[in-house]
Amino acid sequence: MTGLDGFTDVLDYPVYVVTTTAADGRRAGCLVGFASQCSIDPPRFMVWLSTANRTCRVARGASHLAVHTLRRDQKGTAELFGGRTGDDIDKFGRVDWWQGPAGVPVLADCCAWFVGRVQELVEGGDHVGFLLAPVATSGPGPVRPPLLRLSDVVDVTAGHPA
């Protein structure tokens, strides 16, 4: 076994939907498995987008990204954003959303979300890291529901190869 498989195979972290709008008005969104808070003060969050993915191409021309957590019962949303490509369909025509800060699409039915200003891009092989500084966030819900996790979506075939 090479790489990190022996380590990462035991992890079961949350998955996210990342959405954005480029300066030319193109919207995009995808399912993301590589993301984490990476600084407390100042608050920063890093999301990694596959270079094969349309969302990465659109995000390179965007000033802000929205990061959404999903409840465990939202596998359909994960399948839409992870198993379909915006090259072929309008994902936003299939979900409720609203225009958030900086014109970024915010999914109406998600567990929690934040919009972050892109501070820096980091080339990371087949993924690009987007370092985000939060500018707006959803309020805390009355209940902390179980989040959709990697093990819940392992059967979703990616819209683009990784």
Side-chain angles (χ1 to χ4, degrees):
M1 186 177 299
T2 62
L4 290 172
D5 291 346
F7 177 79
T8 59
D9 285 352
V10 301
L11 302 178
D12 193 20
Y13 38 81
V15 293
Y16 306 88
V17 170
V18 173
T19 60
T20 193
T21 301
D24 62 8
R26 291 178 298 149
R27 288 188 306 263
C30 66
L31 187 67
V32 172
F34 304 148
S36 178
Q37 183 173 349
C38 58
S39 177
I40 297 170
D41 187 18
R44 295 292 185 265
F45 196 90
M46 182 72 93
V47 296
W48 295 89
L49 303 179
S50 169
T51 57
N53 189 307
R54 178 178 184 273
T55 302
C56 186
R57 295 189 303 272
V58 173
R60 285 181 182 268
S63 62
H64 292 74
L65 305 179
V67 180
H68 307 80
T69 58
L70 301 175
R71 296 180 311 276
R72 186 157 287 150
D73 65 351
Q74 292 182 287
K75 186 172 179 184
T77 302
E79 289 171 338
L80 173 64
F81 282 91
R84 304 295 302 269
T85 173
D87 293 324
D88 299 333
I89 66 164
D90 176 11
K91 297 177 190 181
F92 297 97
R94 298 168 187 237
V95 294
D96 290 331
W97 63 279
W98 54 277
Q99 190 170 353
V104 175
V106 175
L107 303 182
D109 185 30
C110 66
C111 182
W113 60 268
F114 83 93
V115 172
R117 184 177 56 257
V118 177
Q119 297 292 293
E120 187 177 340
L121 299 182
V122 177
E123 299 296 329
D126 60 5
H127 283 67
V128 175
F130 290 77
L131 181 64
L132 304 176
V135 298
T137 185
S138 61
V143 178
R144 181 181 284 184
L147 296 179
L148 192 68
R149 303 185 78 70
L150 182 63
S151 62
D152 299 317
V153 298
V154 294
D155 60 338
V156 175
T157 302
H160 279 287

